[in-house]
Structure formats: structure tokens, C-alpha cells
Amino acid sequence: MQFLRRIFTREKISVDTSLETTEIETDTSEVSHYMPGLNVAYQTDVGQVREQNEDSLYALNVYLEANDETIPFGIFIVADGMGGYLKGEVASSTAVHTVADYLLSNIYMPILNENTQSAKQKPIREILEDAILMANTKIMETTPEAGTTLTVAMVMRDELHVAHVGDSRAYLYHDNDLEQLTVDHSLVARLVELGQVTPEEALVHPQRNVLYRAVGQTDDLDAEVYYRSFPANSYLLMCSDGLWGLVDDEEIAHILSSPPNLQSCVSNLITTANANGGDDNITVILVGMGELPM
Amino acid sequence: MSEETRRLKVKKPSIGDQVLPKGAILQERYEILRALGLGGMGYVYQARDLRFANIKRLCAIKEMISTSPDPKFRKVALHNFEREANTLASINHPSVVKIYDYFTEGKRIYLVMEYVEGKDLERMLDELPKGTFLEESRVLKWGIQLCDVLAFLHENETPIVYRDLKPPNVMLRDKGPDTVVLIDFGIAKAFQEGQKGTMMGTEGYSPPEQYRGIASPQGDIYALGATLHHLLTRRDPKLQPPFTFHEAPPRNFNPKITELTEQVIMRSVNYDKDKRFDSSLEMGIALQKALDKNTQPEWMNQMQQIYDTPIGEEKPATPEYQASPKPPEVPAPEISAPNINKGTGTIQPLWKFECEDDVRSSPRVRDGIVYIGSYDQWMYAIDAKSGSKVWKYEVGGGIAASPCLYKDKVIIGSEDNVVYAFKVEDGTPAWTCYTKGMVRSSVHVSEEFEVALFGSDDNHLYVIDVNTGRLRWKFHAGGMVRSTPCFSDQLIFVGSEDNHLHAVTIQGKSKWRFESSLGIVASPVVEGNLVLVGSKDGHFYALSKKAGNQVWRVKTNKPIYSSPRVHGKMVYFGGIDENLYAVEIQSGRVKWKFNAKSHIISTPLVFNDAIYFGTSSGEVISLVLKNGKERWRFQTDGPVPSSPDGYEDIIYIGSTDCHVYALPA
Ligand SMILES: Nc1ncnc2c1ncn2[C@@H]1O[C@H](COP(=O)(O)OP(=O)(O)O)[C@@H](O)[C@H]1O
Ligand SMILES: [Mg+2]
């Protein structure tokens, strides 16, 4: 397909499911903040305490040529698996694969190559919901005792669509302001929101790890989908709780504010999480939006 | 918490290989027959007591295996187990499982109980065919029994808070009348009011304060309410955002439930513990009343309502236990006399202005003057305070479109194919623009480009100079254009009867188009990167501004003529399906909807934290913006397709009863 002009990243990076934890090699493509369109960096790390990495991630970043227009297009996914006996990592990587496949065949081809849109084509929100439901069914079939969080971002032109279940987060960083786009599906997030416990108490609350929604748990899963614009010179940050549980928003914003390039930002975030204890697997995807090619 | 239970609250830990085999004998007395269930810390078995050699005496044996490597965790678990044994031994109630014995064997601890022949309520739900519900009266009876046993526990000599009421902890006996039994006293606890304990319970059923360590009878009331909610609606609270019952009245999921039952449940799951029932006894009485209502034939309910209504009052009396903050909306009696308010609030028009024909046009108010057109072929300017005419001007056809105010002009189209611009102060014509079809679309002005945009029944979108009325260009839209165009980011968006929403560049070229299954008469609105519009095909669409692909849609099943109104993060629109919708723009989720019981063509107005719109049965309705609760309604004598405008605490709207009304907001 000739309109796949450039591919920045490898197609799939999910953690090795073998027992020996292999070093996840990090992306080395030269990306800076100032290139047009999307720029991506990512990394996943086992952390300081755990033996396995149960997180999975996916990043696809391409340009499409359609109707005299160059369209940046990207799919970014973070999944944090859970459930003992190595099943968590199977669940998270199943989720990531399933969603990516579904999105590529349902959005990428049909939607981007047309300038007459039809009501017969499903809205993006429903495609994202279906993709997550598909992952849900797969996991319930293959690893019923495991589950995973799932946070999916799809970028098309300057549009950002985020779908999520669980507590892996997506943030938008713009003008020195870090805005959390997703609302964790966790008991403590809700308790904090309602003022029953303080954010500080939440960090040590006995039920802090309880999610009320995760992929692979029940048939009727309700994903949350948000639409946002993705303005030039802003950044999308996606991460598992291994990052946000140990590095607070202020520190994250600080690291994002002074980078030589995206990849070193990502490394800094992971180093900081490890320095603060690294009690869980840490996964980070950082997507920068440059000025769009018109 | 142990590693296994981390996060997976819906799942049980796997201790798969540790199940005792059939035939195993404990204490040389109990022969294991089979596993009954898997609990939080081990299996529950069915066993036979061998001491009774001649009869088959069954018992249930609950096992706890302390495998956790964390000694603290082991200690807490053991402590809970002993507590359960002691608590159970001290209780004697038909709805509490009986305890027989308690012993340890190696690393395992056992509790021997009465074997309850039956099913737990979670299994009852699991076995229910899809799409069906448990019978309401049956669930109410269980609820009453549970209130009774909770009251017994709460009023015990040393009061006991159960703390973990949920369907799997309640069993239903197979034999005899429908009786329920509480099992699993693992975390039940003797309490002193306000005492802090360990935080335990089950997410979804446990009340918010329990997560701060507060256990009280009101906590059990909450859990019972959550349990009844689950039993009646089949909506599993474990899978919902915690503490969202206020958004989920049971009848949203199972409309057959009676209102009274819903009220009892909603009160018991109130977020604020002081607003729940004072005691389980009180809740039991309320459930009994709901049950009485439920089992009475309908005609008796109606009689009851008549008896309950004190003379001189229109509304049935509020039942005494109905002390929750918001009393339910009582449907108002049907009164069709003109100009009589018949809703929850009372309003009287400040003035009304009579025209000679229908007023379908929507008023625009500026600087104390109301501008509006009528089917009587006149364009009117009316004093907003007094309702007296300032000027009027006669055109050559009926006016269905709405005026557009731009600088010193008011611009409006007519069914005589012409668009007129008048001077606002005295109504002298400034310019006219002729088309080849009736103009029902209203005019939109781009100040930046100084152009006026509108559609005509001649199938074109017109772009004219707003100062002179001279044509810049027109765009062939393939069908009649009655939708009012909007302009954003150098693109013009307009709906057409050719089923498309067109995005046209400022040079008059098609940028993209979106095809719905039927015509688009409603007017699009741009918000951020989205174009929002309803279609006659029954969907409300959010399209990406740049390319026209669907981002989300809301299905309403009936055509949409009403144009959307954006306010903050929400968009509001009405439908022929009789609902007014409030939808979150970023997600496309319906936050609330209000059933107006007649078609809504009018575009809703958001004004001072309230919403206003007209209906085809001639009402003007006002709702609370936040939650869609009705504020008031005002009856006119004809359908109201007109959309209101607001100015200084007054709402202006036209009706097909030939009047323009000024109503207090
Ligand atoms: N006395 C009993 N008779 C029959 N079945 C029982 C009995 N006790 C428990 N069960 C079954 O075992 C399941 C788990 O028991 P429970 O006491 O709730 O364990 P846990 O404390 O681990 O939650 C129950 O849901 C029920 O189906
Ligand atoms: Mg139990």
C-alpha cells in the first residue's frame, strides 16, 4: 500500500512471555519534538520488585496520503495484566493484539480513504468499544482467570480518541499543563472523588488495587471513550500505574517540560519511578504532536 | 492483601489443588461429600456427621487455609475466623445459619455448620434466563426477612453489624416457604457506634463510610438496598463505578418495578448515612408497604390513592416514610384550558402578543426588542418589557424562519422566496435577496467574512454579502436546504433534504459530505473539532470537522428536527421520540433525558442554569439543566415548534396559537 509512507516504529512490542525477563530494547529512532505530525517514544520496564513484566504496549505511527492530504495516523495501547501464575502478561498481550488488529481493519482502511462518509460506517466510538469488547471475549475464552487494564489512543489528523478500562492512564500535556484524560476505574479513585478519603490516604489504602472494571472479567464490559482535539505542540502520555503510582503529576509535568527529546523524557520517567521504589511494572508511551503538514 | 487478590475483585483466588477429596474424614467424624462453594479463604464442603450412624445428618464445613506468606495477613484471617465462630455461636435466629463445631487440623481451620439445603441468591441470579427478572413481590419478601434478621443482630445484647450483606452470603432454603438464611459471618462485628474497625466488605455493596472504617446499622441497610437493587435489576453493582446508585434508580433497568419499591431502595442506598432509614425495622415496614401495594390489584391502588388524598389537595399525600430529600414527581392532572400552568411550578405569562397566524419563527431579543416573524406575513419588532409593537413590516409570504441580528440589521427569509434585511430601529428595508424557492432556513452571519449564509428550497446554499445582499456564490446541495448553515474554520456546514450534511469551503467547493439515511433538516453546530447534527433517520451525529467521519452517534429511533444547543461540555436536543436529550460532547454518552410526552421540534434554550423548549402538544417546558428535572410547564393553544430566546430573566417564544409569549424564566 503506497500511502504508508513512513513507519516510525516497529509494529508490535509486547513483553516477552518467557520466564527469563529479557531487556526490552527501547526505540532508538531519532525523534525530536519539532518534527511535523506525530512523534513517538516508548519503553516498558519490569521495575525493582517484580519478577515478571505483565504490561504490554503497542505503538503504530504512519502517514497516509489521501485526497491531496497527508494524514498522521497512530494507534497507541497500554495494557497492565493481572492475575497470578504468569497469566497477567498473556491477558495484556492478547488485549493489545486484538485491539490493534481490529482497529487496523475497521478504521484505518475504510475511514481514511474516503471523502464521502456514510452513516453506514460505524462511528469511531463504537469501533473502539467493539475492539475492547473483542479483547474482552478473547481473554475470557483463553485466560479466564486473568484480566487486564486497557487504554487505547487513536490519533487521526489532529483528533485524539481515547478508550479505556481500568487504571492505566492517558494524559494530555499542553502549555505546561498536565491534564488527566482518563478517570481510573478504581475504588479509591471514586472514594477520593467523593471525599471519603484523601489522595494521600488513597496511596496507602488497603483496597487501593481494587478495580471495578477490567478487561476479561464479565461479558458486558463498558469501556469509556473520549474524544479530544490534539493540538500542535502538545503531548499524549500513556502509562501504567507503575508510573503514576510512584511519580506524581507535578514531577511528571516537570520531566515533560524540559526534554532534549521524547525518548529521553520517557527514560527519565522510568528512571524516576524506579528511583521512587519501582514496586510495579512501568510502561510509558509518549506521543508528540508537531505542526501538521497541510 | 495477598498477591493473588490484587485487583481482581471479581475473581476468586485460585487454590485449585488444595480441595479435600470426596471421602476424606475430618476429626474421625465428618466425611467430606463434595465442595459446595469457594469462599475467600478456602472451600466450603458438604459433609456427613458420622456420629449419627443410622441417619444421614448433613453439615456444611467451612475451611480456612493460611497459605499467605505474610504473617500479619495470616493473623488477621485467623482472627476473623475465630470471630465468625464466636459470633455465630451467640446467635439464635431462624435466618442465621447454626454453628455446631469448630476445630483445627494442621494448617487448616474448620467451622462446622448447619447444612442449608438450597441456593445462594447469587446463584439464583446466575440461573435466571437472560432478559427475565425475579418476581418483585418475592424479592420484597426476602428483603423483609433480611430486615428482620438485621434488626435482630443490631439489637442484640452486644449489637452486631453484619458488614458484608450481598447475594452470595444469603441462602434460600429449598424446602418450606421461601425463607432466607444469612451465612458467612466472617467479618460481622460487635460494634459501638462510630467505632473504627478494619476496612472490609465487598465493593459495590458496601457503603462509602465503611472504607473509612465506620461500621453501623446504616451500613447494613445500604448493603441490603444494594442487594435488593441487584436482585431486581440484575445490574451487578460490583461492575459499576462505586457509589453511583443515585444515578441508577431500579426502574431504569426494570420498568416493571413499582415506584414505592424504588423509593425504598433509593433511600436505603443514599450516599449520606443519615439519610437512609434509621433502622432495619423501619426499612422492613417500608418494604412491607411496598409489598402490600405490589400484591394489591390495580383498582385497589387507585382507591387507596383517592383515600390518601386529603380534600383540597391535588397531589396524593407523600407517604410518611418518604423522607428522602426529593419527593418523586407526581404526574399533574390533565387540564387543557388555555394559559393554565399545569406543572410543578406556577407561572403566568408576563404578556402575550397576538398575530394573525401561526408563530413558528423563533424570537431573537436584543437591546430590549423582540424580533420575530409570523405566518401572517409580517415581521414584528416588539418591546420586550411591555409586549407592545415597536414596528412591523409586511412581506410577500409566511415567515417560518427565525431572524438573525447583525449590527444594525435584522435579516430573515420568507416563503415568498426572498431574504429581507431590515433596519432594527424602524423596520425600513435595507436590502433583499431573491432565490428560486421558499426560504425556511434561517440566516447565519460570518462577521469575519461579512457574509450571510442561508439555504433555500431551490436546493442551494446561498452565500451573500451581509451589507448589500449581493450574491457571492451559491452551492448546489442536491436537495432542499431548510437547515441553517454554520461556519467554522473556513468551512460552512449545512444539512440538506438530499440526506447529506455538506461541508463547503469558503470558495464554494465541497470539502466533504456525510450521508445519513434520511434528510437533515436540523441545523448543525460546531463545537471544537466536532460538527453536531440530528437527522430524520433518527440519529444524532457527531462528525469530525475536518473529514466528516462519525465520532459518535446517539440513536433516538424517531426523526430529529430539533437543532442542538451546546452549553459547556454538553449538547442538548429534542426528538420526535418525545425526549429531550442531554449528551456529553466528549464521549457521546446520554447524561439524562426527559420525556415530554409529545414531539419536540423546538431547539432548546439554555438560560440561567435551566433549559426551555416547546412541544407539539403546545407546552413550553422548563427543566433543571443539571439533571433534567422539570421546573415548570406552560400550556399554549397550539403546537410550539418555535425555539425560545431569553433576555433579562424573561423567556420569549412563539406558538401556533398565533401568539408570542413572554414568560418568567
Ligand atoms: N451452611 C451452608 N450450607 C450450604 N451452602 C453453604 C453454606 N455455607 C456456605 N455455603 C456455600 O458456599 C459459598 C461460600 O460460603 P461463604 O461462607 O460465603 O464463604 P466466604 O466467607 O469465603 O465468602 C456460599 O455462597 C454458599 O453457596
Ligand atoms: Mg461469602
Side-chain angles (χ1 to χ4, degrees):
Chain A
M1 237 121 304
Q2 58 139 356
F3 52 75
L4 293 182
R5 201 167 72 186
R6 257 194 297 169
I7 298 184
F8 271 90
T9 65
R10 282 165 296 159
E11 245 221 321
K12 164 78 177 83
I13 320 95
S14 106
V15 288
D16 198 325
T17 44
S18 69
L19 266 177
E20 307 124 66
T21 324
T22 45
E23 263 295 315
I24 309 298
E25 72 179 276
T26 54
D27 185 61
T28 49
S29 52
E30 290 145 39
V31 282
S32 85
H33 283 208
Y34 308 108
M35 294 177 78
L38 297 178
N39 305 293
V40 189
Y42 47 79
Q43 194 175 333
T44 178
D45 189 276
V46 70
Q48 302 296 301
V49 175
R50 304 203 172 221
E51 279 166 13
Q52 277 91 35
N53 191 338
E54 299 191 321
D55 289 357
S56 293
L57 72 82
Y58 177 98
L60 168 78
N61 175 24
V62 297
Y63 281 93
L64 309 170
E65 300 280 2
N67 304 307
D68 316 322
E69 195 189 359
T70 306
I71 305 168
F73 178 82
I75 296 175
F76 310 100
I77 311 174
V78 171
D80 173 357
M82 51 207 159
Y85 310 108
L86 316 177
K87 292 292 170 56
E89 54 206 59
V90 179
S92 69
S93 96
T94 306
V96 153
H97 273 122
T98 312
V99 168
D101 284 355
Y102 191 86
L103 293 183
L104 283 173
S105 49
N106 283 277
I107 286 189
Y108 180 66
M109 297 306 218
I111 291 191
L112 286 172
N113 215 14
E114 291 284 337
N115 85 329
T116 300
Q117 300 287 342
S118 161
K120 288 176 197 108
Q121 168 72 44
K122 259 194 246 164
I124 292 173
R125 171 177 145 188
E126 289 167 34
I127 294 172
L128 284 166
E129 283 170 345
D130 290 350
I132 288 182
L133 274 180
M134 190 96 116
N136 192 51
T137 312
K138 268 258 171 65
I139 292 171
M140 294 199 27
E141 278 165 17
T142 55
T143 41
E145 63 277 44
T148 182
T149 71
L150 187 52
T151 299
V152 183
M154 203 194 73
V155 181
M156 217 162 89
R157 298 185 180 82
D158 58 350
E159 296 161 19
L160 170 61
H161 304 265
V162 176
H164 92 116
V165 174
D167 69 350
S168 295
R169 292 182 179 172
Y171 293 89
L172 193 64
Y173 179 74
H174 188 53
D175 282 342
N176 294 317
D177 179 45
L178 187 69
E179 180 196 357
Q180 190 179 325
L181 300 179
T182 51
V183 178
D184 300 341
H185 295 141
S186 76
L187 176 71
V188 289
R190 191 70 189 132
L191 287 167
V192 170
E193 183 190 343
L194 293 167
Q196 284 286 344
V197 305
T198 64
E200 295 73 45
E201 285 167 346
L203 288 174
V204 294
H205 196 279
Q207 271 111 329
R208 67 183 174 277
N209 279 328
V210 171
L211 299 184
Y212 59 82
R213 242 180 247 173
V215 179
Q217 307 273 289
T218 49
D219 292 331
D220 52 346
L221 178 67
D222 212 1
E224 231 154 329
V225 185
Y226 311 95
Y227 165 84
R228 293 299 293 263
S229 69
F230 193 1
N233 304 316
S234 58
Y235 303 89
L236 167 72
L237 171 70
M238 297 170 73
C239 60
S240 58
D241 63 344
L243 179 74
W244 64 255
L246 290 171
V247 187
D248 64 25
D249 285 7
E250 209 176 307
E251 218 170 341
I252 292 176
H254 178 73
I255 292 170
L256 295 181
S257 68
S258 53
N261 66 52
L262 285 185
Q263 189 58 54
S264 62
C265 271
V266 170
S267 311
N268 278 346
L269 288 169
I270 290 193
T271 312
T272 311
N274 276 325
N276 292 356
D279 69 355
D280 203 346
N281 309 138
I282 313 153
T283 298
V284 179
I285 301 179
L286 188 60
V287 184
M289 173 61 97
E291 295 290 346
L292 278 184
M294 266 333 226
Chain B
M1 284 271 111
S2 71
E3 179 65 19
E4 289 92 347
T5 55
R6 174 181 168 264
R7 298 165 137 193
L8 285 183
K9 47 173 295 190
V10 193
K11 295 228 154 90
K12 302 211 164 148
S14 9
I15 44 172
D17 50 337
Q18 296 172 335
V19 56
L20 290 177
K22 181 175 180 322
I25 294 179
L26 298 171
Q27 303 282 296
E28 298 175 351
R29 175 171 177 181
Y30 303 107
E31 182 192 346
I32 299 296
L33 300 178
R34 64 190 173 102
L36 288 171
L38 179 58
M41 280 173 290
Y43 281 93
V44 179
Y45 301 97
Q46 186 194 49
R48 183 178 170 187
D49 188 345
L50 299 174
R51 193 157 296 173
F52 298 83
N54 299 325
I55 52 162
K56 190 171 176 187
R57 185 175 142 117
L58 294 175
C59 53
I61 298 187
K62 184 170 175 175
E63 172 187 63
M64 188 188 89
I65 313 166
S66 38
T67 52
S68 172
D70 182 351
K72 260 212 313 258
F73 186 83
R74 274 208 311 269
K75 219 173 119 195
V76 172
L78 176 65
H79 183 73
N80 285 340
F81 209 75
E82 283 176 338
R83 185 166 64 201
E84 177 166 11
N86 290 324
T87 310
L88 275 174
S90 72
I91 303 169
N92 185 10
H93 188 282
S95 283
V96 174
V97 68
K98 289 193 180 34
I99 188 170
Y100 298 147
D101 196 3
Y102 166 57
F103 58 87
T104 56
E105 228 172 63
K107 270 192 166 177
R108 304 174 189 223
I109 309 167
Y110 295 94
L111 199 61
V112 185
M113 296 173 281
E114 154 199 15
Y115 171 66
V116 179
E117 202 178 332
K119 277 181 202 147
D120 65 74
L121 296 184
E122 184 173 61
R123 238 181 90 195
M124 293 286 295
L125 279 176
D126 286 347
E127 289 175 2
L128 212 57
K130 255 208 160 93
T132 64
F133 291 105
L134 289 165
E135 201 190 319
E136 181 178 352
S137 59
R138 193 167 179 214
V139 173
L140 289 175
K141 283 177 199 155
W142 300 341
I144 292 165
Q145 291 179 43
L146 288 167
C147 280
D148 185 64
V149 58
L150 286 178
F152 177 86
L153 295 172
H154 295 159
E155 280 149 32
N156 197 37
E157 212 168 318
T158 40
I160 294 164
V161 185
Y162 183 72
R163 297 207 299 174
D164 200 16
L165 194 66
K166 56 178 176 178
N169 285 347
V170 179
M171 289 197 65
L172 187 68
R173 287 191 203 274
D174 274 346
K175 292 208 184 97
D178 234 15
T179 33
V180 295
V181 187
L182 267 187
I183 54 169
D184 193 0
F185 276 66
I187 67 168
K189 196 176 176 210
F191 80 105
Q192 286 134 13
E193 185 75 62
Q195 166 191 311
K196 285 210 167 199
T198 39
M199 285 177 249
M200 277 191 170
T202 304
E203 293 76 34
Y205 301 96
S206 295
E209 69 275 7
Q210 203 160 308
Y211 295 96
R212 283 187 286 131
I214 294 173
S216 72
Q218 275 67 39
D220 282 348
I221 286 173
Y222 182 99
L224 175 55
T227 300
L228 295 177
H229 191 291
H230 188 184
L231 292 172
L232 287 170
T233 62
R234 305 191 68 178
R235 170 190 174 272
D236 188 344
K238 290 193 294 300
L239 304 173
Q240 311 305 325
F243 324 119
T244 47
F245 284 112
H246 59 283
E247 293 168 4
R251 298 201 305 166
N252 287 5
F253 308 93
N254 178 359
K256 289 214 191 87
I257 299 170
T258 55
E259 205 165 327
L260 216 46
T261 301
E262 173 167 289
Q263 286 167 22
V264 178
I265 291 175
M266 289 310 276
R267 180 161 169 203
S268 56
V269 294
N270 197 303
Y271 181 79
D272 183 347
K273 110 188 210 297
D274 297 329
K275 290 192 179 141
R276 299 174 203 148
F277 291 96
D278 284 339
S279 66
S280 331
L281 205 66
E282 196 192 350
M283 181 172 174
I285 294 169
L287 284 172
Q288 184 64 53
K289 284 202 179 180
L291 178 65
D292 292 346
K293 263 256 151 58
N294 208 262
T295 44
Q296 267 171 24
E298 185 53 31
W299 63 267
M300 271 181 72
N301 286 339
Q302 284 166 7
M303 290 301 287
Q304 192 65 43
Q305 203 159 18
I306 292 166
Y307 289 135
D308 281 352
T309 308
I311 296 156
E313 252 185 60
E314 312 175 350
K315 296 181 195 168
T318 315
E320 73 218 28
Y321 49 81
Q322 222 280 269
S324 61
K326 270 176 260 114
E329 244 94 43
V330 180
E334 279 300 317
I335 301 170
S336 55
N339 304 341
I340 290 182
N341 153 67
K342 55 178 220 171
T344 37
T346 324
I347 63 147
Q348 287 297 322
L350 299 168
W351 51 257
K352 51 182 186 167
F353 178 89
E354 191 169 358
C355 305
E356 281 156 43
D357 206 339
D358 291 2
V359 185
R360 301 182 185 186
S361 167
S362 305
R364 287 284 173 276
V365 194
R366 201 179 72 183
D367 300 334
I369 310 283
V370 181
Y371 303 90
I372 195 163
S374 162
Y375 244 64
D376 65 10
Q377 314 202 353
W378 289 89
M379 171 69 204
Y380 295 94
I382 306 165
D383 185 273
K385 279 265 145 55
S386 64
S388 55
K389 187 187 74 203
V390 178
W391 56 259
K392 62 175 183 174
Y393 185 93
E394 188 170 22
V395 299
I399 301 179
S402 304
C404 167
L405 290 159
Y406 174 72
K407 292 187 177 162
D408 62 340
K409 294 189 189 68
V410 53
I411 309 164
I412 197 163
S414 155
E415 296 194 348
D416 63 4
N417 303 359
V418 182
V419 171
Y420 298 84
F422 304 102
K423 288 243 164 68
V424 285
E425 70 265 20
D426 55 7
T428 39
W431 51 256
T432 47
C433 173
Y434 288 79
T435 77
K436 298 196 173 74
M438 295 197 265
V439 180
R440 285 158 167 175
S441 152
S442 302
V443 174
H444 176 89
V445 168
S446 155
E447 297 192 16
E448 186 189 349
F449 292 88
E450 302 209 310
V451 289
L453 320 166
F454 62 90
S456 161
D457 279 4
D458 69 8
N459 299 357
H460 284 84
L461 161 72
Y462 282 78
V463 177
I464 61 175
D465 188 307
V466 72
N467 299 308
T468 62
R470 216 168 296 136
L471 181 71
R472 290 261 180 97
W473 49 258
K474 54 184 185 174
F475 172 82
H476 189 260
M480 292 188 287
V481 183
R482 293 175 168 183
S483 155
T484 300
C486 78
F487 180 81
S488 168
D489 244 1
Q490 320 241 334
L491 285 175
I492 299 158
F493 305 94
V494 73
S496 157
E497 284 286 8
D498 79 341
N499 302 357
H500 285 91
L501 184 91
H502 295 271
V504 183
T505 66
I506 43 172
Q507 288 84 30
K509 286 211 195 76
S510 170
K511 165 82 176 171
W512 54 256
R513 51 190 198 146
F514 169 79
E515 183 185 28
S516 86
S517 323
L518 287 170
I520 298 179
V521 189
S523 308
V525 165
V526 172
E527 176 59 24
N529 276 355
L530 296 179
V531 184
L532 307 168
V533 73
S535 161
K536 288 206 278 191
D537 74 4
H539 288 91
F540 186 84
Y541 295 103
L543 310 174
S544 95
K545 188 164 82 179
K546 289 233 168 88
N549 57 271
Q550 276 188 74
V551 173
W552 51 256
R553 65 181 165 198
V554 173
K555 194 169 177 208
T556 74
N557 295 315
K558 294 270 177 68
I560 300 174
Y561 292 95
S562 161
S563 300
R565 179 77 65 184
V566 169
H567 182 81
K569 292 185 161 171
M570 305 290 292
V571 58
Y572 305 88
F573 61 91
I576 296 301
D577 72 350
E578 309 189 338
N579 286 309
L580 189 93
Y581 289 84
V583 178
E584 213 173 58
I585 297 171
Q586 279 181 6
S587 65
R589 274 177 198 267
V590 177
K591 254 275 161 61
W592 55 258
K593 58 184 178 180
F594 172 85
N595 192 304
K597 307 225 165 68
S598 68
H599 304 169
I600 305 170
I601 290 171
S602 166
T603 297
L605 167 73
V606 175
F607 190 63
N608 296 349
D609 296 327
I611 276 205
Y612 305 85
F613 59 94
T615 74
S616 63
S617 61
E619 288 169 318
V620 181
I621 299 180
S622 173
L623 309 176
V624 178
L625 185 64
K626 197 169 71 219
N627 53 21
K629 291 271 181 305
E630 184 171 328
R631 293 177 65 227
W632 52 254
R633 58 177 74 199
F634 173 78
Q635 182 74 49
T636 76
D637 275 347
V640 183
S642 167
S643 309
D645 198 6
Y647 181 77
E648 293 187 344
D649 293 336
I650 301 175
I651 297 303
Y652 301 90
I653 194 163
S655 164
T656 54
D657 69 4
C658 310
H659 286 91
V660 179
Y661 292 91
L663 306 171

